[in-house]
Amino acid sequence: TTPNGLSYQIGPDTFSEVNHQVELQQFQQKQTWLQQQQQQELSSNNGPPSILLCTGRDISSLALGFGSTRDTANDNPLFHHVIAMQHCPLVHRDALMNFARHDHLSIAVFHRDKTNMVKTLSGELAKYDDRPIVGIMTGGRKGLDPAYLEYLVGNQNIRCIIYNSCSTKSLLRDMNGFVHGGFCIDDFWSYDLFPNTSYTASLTKLRRRPRTLVIPVGPAGVGKSTMSQILVQQMPALWWQRDAVFCRFRDAGMGLNK
């Protein structure tokens, strides 16, 4: 059962839980993050996230466990709709069986190969206009498909992503894509997945980076322009140079050039 009491079945070929205590701690941490995200959306007048996107081997437990998460303020479901997608036919088989047992939840489940995930997801999300979306996904040993990651960072309705990883290499690669695509790392937890070995598991909470205005102030020669150039190189940014707009001509000062 999920920690909040929904039963589900998985076959031996799709079983992926290897440390029950870690799984429970991760579920509780994800739930805390979802509640925090809900409060942040409400405080910004966006309303709570209404769509939950789940991908990876654990779509049965993710979609059932978090698709049934309640709004603590009024005891309504936090998510109005859940989308679960997986490219493994065995995981998809299990998910169909599990979701049928809990048909009171609004869950759309898709089985697509990696090349068609983006097309299917884009078409499904188009039905829901501009509703805010939270994604919960497992990266796996190979990480996310590059086209899928590119779609996630490009869809501005995706406000928050909770990324579950068991591989440091794929974690670093995918985090690089998210951060350069406009997300920032809001929180991070690491878990001792296999005690007495080098294997760890981790959870990363990513939020859409808010638009930020940076105004460097200081005397000439301290590095304001150099710092601005580095910022522009490192992240998507618009660089507005005062001196380029109010440029000096010969000996005339800035105040003489209207």
Side-chain angles (χ1 to χ4, degrees):
T1 60
T2 62
N4 56 343
L6 296 184
S7 62
Y8 66 98
Q9 292 180 324
I10 49 178
D13 293 324
T14 56
F15 183 74
S16 60
E17 185 184 77
V18 294
N19 186 325
H20 177 69
Q21 292 301 320
V22 168
E23 295 283 339
L24 179 59
Q25 291 176 23
Q26 288 184 335
F27 184 93
Q28 293 169 341
Q29 185 58 57
K30 292 172 186 175
Q31 197 164 42
T32 298
W33 283 344
L34 289 175
Q35 292 169 349
Q36 291 173 348
Q37 183 66 21
Q38 175 198 29
Q39 294 303 316
Q40 290 164 353
E41 292 288 347
L42 288 172
S43 64
S44 61
N45 297 320
N46 291 325
S50 61
I51 297 178
L52 176 66
L53 169 64
C54 302
T55 56
R57 292 180 61 86
D58 304 313
I59 57 172
S60 286
S61 59
L62 293 176
L64 292 175
F66 298 111
S68 58
T69 297
R70 314 296 290 185
D71 179 343
T72 54
N74 54 32
D75 198 36
N76 289 327
L78 178 58
F79 297 101
H80 300 298
H81 190 66
V82 180
I83 299 172
M85 183 175 294
Q86 173 55 249
H87 57 80
C88 173
L90 300 178
V91 173
H92 178 70
R93 175 204 61 193
D94 292 347
L96 288 175
M97 175 181 62
N98 291 320
F99 300 157
R101 299 169 66 183
H102 301 282
D103 56 4
H104 64 287
L105 298 175
S106 176
I107 303 177
V109 56
F110 298 96
H111 171 230
R112 297 289 187 273
D113 58 37
K114 292 183 178 181
T115 59
N116 289 305
M117 285 180 64
V118 169
K119 181 179 179 181
T120 298
L121 182 57
S122 177
E124 180 66 15
L125 290 177
K127 302 176 183 178
Y128 302 98
D129 300 322
D130 294 327
R131 293 186 185 179
I133 303 164
V134 168
I136 301 183
M137 55 204 62
T138 51
R141 292 186 300 273
K142 297 181 179 180
L144 301 179
D145 181 71
Y148 180 54
L149 194 153
E150 183 179 358
Y151 174 79
L152 294 175
V153 301
N155 188 326
Q156 297 298 313
N157 293 328
I158 299 177
R159 311 288 177 79
C160 174
I161 288 177
I162 298 176
Y163 182 98
N164 191 354
S165 174
C166 61
S167 167
T168 304
K169 283 187 176 181
S170 60
L171 171 68
L172 292 174
R173 183 173 62 249
D174 286 348
M175 288 305 106
N176 184 63
F178 280 121
V179 170
H180 280 83
F183 281 85
C184 59
I185 296 176
D186 191 55
D187 205 351
F188 177 85
W189 285 79
S190 182
Y191 302 85
D192 191 2
L193 187 61
F194 293 138
N196 301 316
T197 73
S198 60
Y199 288 95
T200 61
S202 66
L203 285 180
T204 307
K205 180 188 177 187
L206 297 134
R207 291 181 59 212
R208 183 73 63 177
R209 185 187 302 118
R211 294 176 63 87
T212 304
L213 175 64
V214 179
I215 305 177
V217 177
V222 297
K224 300 188 298 298
S225 296
T226 301
M227 182 191 72
S228 300
Q229 289 174 336
I230 294 174
L231 287 174
V232 171
Q233 293 169 0
Q234 293 295 322
M235 64 186 70
L238 174 64
W239 185 15
W240 187 85
Q241 285 185 280
R242 180 191 63 178
D243 291 349
V245 177
F246 302 101
C247 53
R248 297 178 175 86
F249 295 97
R250 298 179 182 174
D251 296 329
M254 194 180 305
L256 299 179
N257 295 280
K258 302 295 186 180

